[in-house]
C-alpha cells in the first residue's frame, strides 16, 4: 500500500517552498518520521519526514521545484523494506530520537552547548556579505560538521553544483586516505593556475529562496523607508574591565562567557524605554508602540543571513541574554532554527565587528524602524581631561526610519546606549 508524503505546514504566512535536496531515493528503506527531503523556505530549511516505515516509491517533484503546502511530493510503500534495510532504518530512527531528546533538553544542555561567548556569534551587518557561502541542506550540513570539512573545498554534483551528502562522504573518505596515499606516492607536480594558461571561467548559480528573500526585503527597506544613519564612538574600557574582573565567576556560575552582546542588549533596552519611537513601527497611518523589547540578532547561517528573536530582552539577566544569543548562533550554524525563532522582533543589533568591520550603515529589518550596528574595537588616541590617551574604541551606528524617528530622538537613543556602555552602572540603576 502506498502512502503519500505531503509538504507540511511551514509556518505563519509561508505557503510554498523549494525542494532543496532529496535525502532518500526510490527503493531506499525509510523509518517512520525519518527525513526524506529538505525544503528551503524564505527563512529556514525544513525537513519532510516519512509518515510511515517502508520503502521510497515515486518522487513526484525534482530538486529546485517550487511546492505548495499540502502538495504530494513522494510516495512510500509500507512494509516492503528489503531484508537488512529495515534494521538499518530502525537504527537511524533510534539515533534521531536520541538526537531529539538531546535537543529537547536544551534548557539544561544549553549552557554547555553555548560555551562560545555571545560576542563571538557570527553576526552579519546590513544584510550580510556572505556571497561566498555554500548552499547546503540540513543533512549535508550535519555531514560537513560531523567530518570537520570545509564545504568550499568540495565539488558539488547536485543540481546547480549543490553539495549532496554523497559528495561530503566521498570527501571525508578521501581525507582519511590522504595520509596513507601521501606516504606511498610521490607528490604531484605543482599545477599551473588556470589564469596563467589564459583560461577564464564563470560560474552561474541560482539564488536560494532565502537569498532571494533577503534581497527583496533589503531593497524594500530602502524603497519604503526614509533611511538615515547617525554615528557615535564608544569607549569600551569599562566593559572590558568588567568582563576581565568577573569572567571567571560569571562562567563558573552560569556556564557561559560574559560577552559584549549582553551589555549592548541591556543598553539598547534602556534607550528604547526612554525613546519609544525607536522601538515602534508604522502600520498604515498609525504608529505602533511596544512596552517590551524583542531583540532581533542578525547571525550568519550557511544559506545566508537569519535574524532570530530574543523575546522580552528588557526583562532578562545578562546570563539569560548570553545563553539565548549563543544558542541561536549555534543553531544557525547547524541549520536547526525554526520559523517561530525568527518571527516578530522590535529592534535589531547587527555585529559586523566580528568580521573586522570598522564602520557601516546597517539597513533596518522591516517592519522595524531602527537597527544598531556594532563594529570592531581598536585602540585609538582620544582626549581625556586635557590629555591624549589611548583607549579601546568602537564606532556605533544607528540606522533609522526618518518617517517615524526624528533626528533628535535617534541621536538621543544612541547617546544613551553609548553612556550605558561607558558607565555600566547606569544599566543597574536604570539611568
Amino acid at each position: 500500500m502506498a502512502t503519500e508524503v505531503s509538504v507540511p505546514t511551514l509556518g505563519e504566512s509561508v505557503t510554498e517552498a523549494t525542494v532543496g535536496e532529496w535525502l532518500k531515493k526510490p527503493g531506499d528503506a525509510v523509518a517512520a518520521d525519518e527525513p526524506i527531503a529538505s525544503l528551503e523556505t524564505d527563512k529556514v530549511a525544513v525537513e519532510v519526514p516519512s509518515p510511515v516505515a517502508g520503502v521510497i516509491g515515486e518522487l513526484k517533484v525534482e530538486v529546485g521545484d517550487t511546492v505548495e503546502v499540502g502538495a504530494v511530493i513522494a510516495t512510500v510503500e509500507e512494509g516492503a523494506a528489503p531484508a537488512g534495510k529495515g534494521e538499518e532504518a530502525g537504527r537511524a530512527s533510534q539515533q534521531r530520537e536520541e538526537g531529539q531528546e538531546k535537543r529537547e533538553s536544551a534548557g539544561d544542555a544549553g549552557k554547555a552547548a553555548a560555551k562560545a561567548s555571545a560576542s563571538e556569534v557570527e553576526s552579519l551587518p546590513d544584510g550580510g556579505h556572505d556571497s561566498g557561502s555554500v548552499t547546503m541542506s540540513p543533512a549535508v550540513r550535519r555531514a560537513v560538521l560531523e567530518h570537520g570539512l570545509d564545504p568550499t573545498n568540495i565539488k558539488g554534483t547536485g543540481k546547480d553544483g549543490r553539495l549532496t551528502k554523497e559528495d561530503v562522504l566521498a570527501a571525508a573518505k578521501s581525507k582519511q586516505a590522504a595520509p596513507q596515499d601521501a606516504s606511498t606516492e610521490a607528490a604531484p607536480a605543482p599545477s599551473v593556475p588556470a589564469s596563467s594558461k589564459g583560461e577564464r571561467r564563470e560560474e552561474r548559480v541560482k539564488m536560494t529562496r532565502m537569498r532571494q528573500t533577503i534581497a527583496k526585503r533589503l531593497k524594500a527597506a530602502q524603497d519604503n523607508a526614509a533611511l538615515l544613519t547617525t554615528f557615535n564612538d564608544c569607549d569600551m574600557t569599562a566593559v572590558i574591565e568588567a568582563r576581565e574582573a568577573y569572567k571567571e565567576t560569571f562562567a563558573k556560575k552560569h556556564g557561559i562567557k560574559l560577552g559584549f552582546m549582553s551589555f549592548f542588549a541591556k543598553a539598547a533596552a534602556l534607550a528604547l524605554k526612554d525613546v519609544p519611537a525607536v522601538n515602534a513601527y508604522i502600520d498604515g497611518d498609525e504608529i505602533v508602540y511596544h512596552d517590551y523589547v524583542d531583540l532581533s540578532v542578525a547571525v550568519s547561517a550557511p544559506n545566508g543571513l537569519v535574524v532570530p528573536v530574543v523575546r522580552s530582552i528588557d526583562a532578562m539577566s545578562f546570563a539569560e541574554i548570553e545563553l539565548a544569543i549563543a544558542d541561536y548562533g549555534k543553531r544557525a550554524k547547524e541549520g536547526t532554527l525554526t520559523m517561530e525563532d525568527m518571527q516578530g522582533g522590535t529592534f535589531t543589533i547587527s555585529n559586523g565587528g566580528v568580521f573586522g568591520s570598522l564602520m557601516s550603515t546597517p539597513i533596518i529589518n522591516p517592519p522595524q524602524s531602527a537597527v544598531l550596528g556594532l563594529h570592531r574595537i581598536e585602540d585609538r588616541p582620544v582626549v581625556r581631561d586635557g590629555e591624549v590617551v589611548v583607549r579601546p574604541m568602537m564606532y556605533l551606528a544607528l540606522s533609522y526610519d526618518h518617517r517615524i524617528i526624528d533626528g533628535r530622538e535617534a541621536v538621543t537613543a544612541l547617546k544613551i546606549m553609548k553612556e550605558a556602555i561607558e558607565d555600566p552602572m547606569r544599566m543597574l540603576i536604570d539611568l
Side-chain angles (χ1 to χ4, degrees):
M1 177 180 176
T3 299
E4 294 181 337
V5 182
S6 303
V7 177
T9 301
L10 301 172
E12 183 180 354
S13 76
V14 180
T15 60
E16 62 180 23
T18 301
V19 180
E21 181 185 9
W22 282 108
L23 308 178
K24 295 286 185 177
K25 60 181 182 295
D28 284 353
V30 63
D33 297 325
E34 182 178 4
I36 66 170
S38 174
L39 305 180
E40 293 178 358
T41 70
D42 293 347
K43 296 181 178 180
V44 295
V46 178
E47 290 184 337
V48 180
S50 172
V52 295
V55 172
I56 299 296
E58 179 185 2
L59 304 183
K60 295 183 176 294
V61 293
E62 298 181 356
V63 172
D65 287 353
T66 297
V67 292
E68 297 183 350
V69 172
V72 177
I73 60 174
T75 60
V76 177
E77 300 292 337
E78 297 183 47
K85 286 194 174 182
E87 183 178 335
E88 178 183 345
R91 287 196 298 269
S93 178
Q94 180 179 356
Q95 291 173 352
R96 285 193 307 280
E97 291 175 1
E98 292 174 353
Q100 179 65 23
E101 291 176 0
K102 292 179 181 179
R103 289 192 293 272
E104 290 175 352
S105 62
D108 297 326
K111 294 183 179 181
K115 291 296 184 181
S117 170
S119 65
E120 297 171 350
V121 171
E122 293 187 346
S123 305
L124 290 180
D126 47 283
H129 305 289
D130 62 338
S131 58
S133 63
V134 177
T135 300
M136 297 182 290
S137 70
V140 173
R141 189 177 303 114
R142 284 196 297 269
V144 168
L145 293 172
E146 179 182 349
H147 294 285
L149 300 175
D150 181 355
T152 60
N153 293 331
I154 306 174
K155 180 175 177 57
T157 61
K159 185 176 181 180
D160 297 325
R162 292 169 58 91
L163 290 183
T164 65
K165 189 174 181 181
E166 288 71 21
D167 296 332
V168 177
L169 296 178
K173 186 175 181 180
S174 298
K175 180 181 178 181
Q176 294 173 352
Q180 179 179 355
D181 294 343
S183 63
T184 59
E185 298 180 6
S191 60
V192 180
S195 58
S196 67
K197 299 178 183 178
E199 298 177 6
R200 301 176 65 183
R201 298 173 54 193
E202 291 183 353
E203 182 179 6
R204 189 179 296 268
V205 179
K206 184 178 180 180
M207 294 174 67
T208 64
R209 178 176 290 272
M210 182 183 295
R211 174 52 57 190
Q212 293 178 47
T213 300
I214 291 171
K216 291 176 182 177
R217 286 176 59 83
L218 293 179
K219 185 56 181 172
Q222 289 183 319
D223 292 341
N224 299 327
L227 289 178
L228 189 63
T229 303
T230 183
F231 298 93
N232 214 320
D233 60 353
C234 182
D235 188 338
M236 298 293 292
T237 301
V239 168
I240 291 175
E241 290 178 348
R243 289 183 69 200
E244 186 64 28
Y246 299 109
K247 64 180 182 181
E248 292 184 3
T249 305
F250 189 90
K252 183 177 181 180
K253 180 175 181 179
H254 301 293
I256 191 170
K257 295 179 182 178
L258 177 60
F260 291 127
M261 285 296 289
S262 56
F263 284 94
F264 280 103
K266 297 295 283 188
L270 195 66
L272 300 182
K273 286 184 177 180
D274 284 356
V275 190
V278 182
N279 195 41
Y281 71 94
I282 295 176
D283 184 14
D285 59 356
E286 297 179 331
I287 299 176
V288 181
Y289 294 93
H290 306 94
D291 65 353
Y292 55 87
V293 179
D294 284 352
L295 182 67
S296 301
V297 184
V299 300
S300 176
N303 284 349
L305 179 77
V306 293
V307 193
V309 179
V310 183
R311 321 255 175 212
S312 300
I313 203 166
D314 50 314
M316 298 174 70
S317 68
F318 277 72
E320 289 171 335
I321 294 171
E322 293 288 356
L323 287 167
I325 295 178
D327 179 58
Y328 275 147
K330 174 178 177 291
R331 290 201 284 139
K333 292 179 182 179
E334 295 174 347
T336 57
L337 289 173
T338 66
M339 296 292 292
E340 290 73 20
D341 291 331
M342 288 176 284
Q343 291 176 344
T346 64
F347 182 76
T348 295
I349 293 181
S350 180
N351 184 8
V354 295
F355 299 107
S357 173
L358 177 64
M359 188 178 294
S360 69
T361 55
I363 299 177
I364 63 173
N365 179 26
Q368 298 173 22
S369 298
V371 52
L372 175 67
L374 308 183
H375 303 90
R376 75 170 184 252
I377 302 170
E378 63 176 8
D379 289 339
R380 291 201 297 268
V382 294
V383 178
R384 295 289 185 267
D385 300 324
E387 296 184 357
V388 177
V389 296
V390 176
R391 293 291 174 87
M393 305 296 293
M394 175 194 289
Y395 287 118
L396 304 180
L398 183 71
S399 290
Y400 59 98
D401 187 346
H402 213 341
R403 297 178 302 166
I404 180 176
I405 303 170
D406 294 332
R408 175 184 60 83
E409 294 173 313
V411 172
T412 299
L414 189 58
K415 186 170 179 287
I416 292 173
M417 298 179 204
K418 165 188 167 71
E419 292 174 344
I421 294 297
E422 293 184 339
D423 182 8
M425 184 62 70
R426 288 174 172 269
M427 289 182 273
L428 300 178
I429 59 179
D430 195 17
L431 284 180

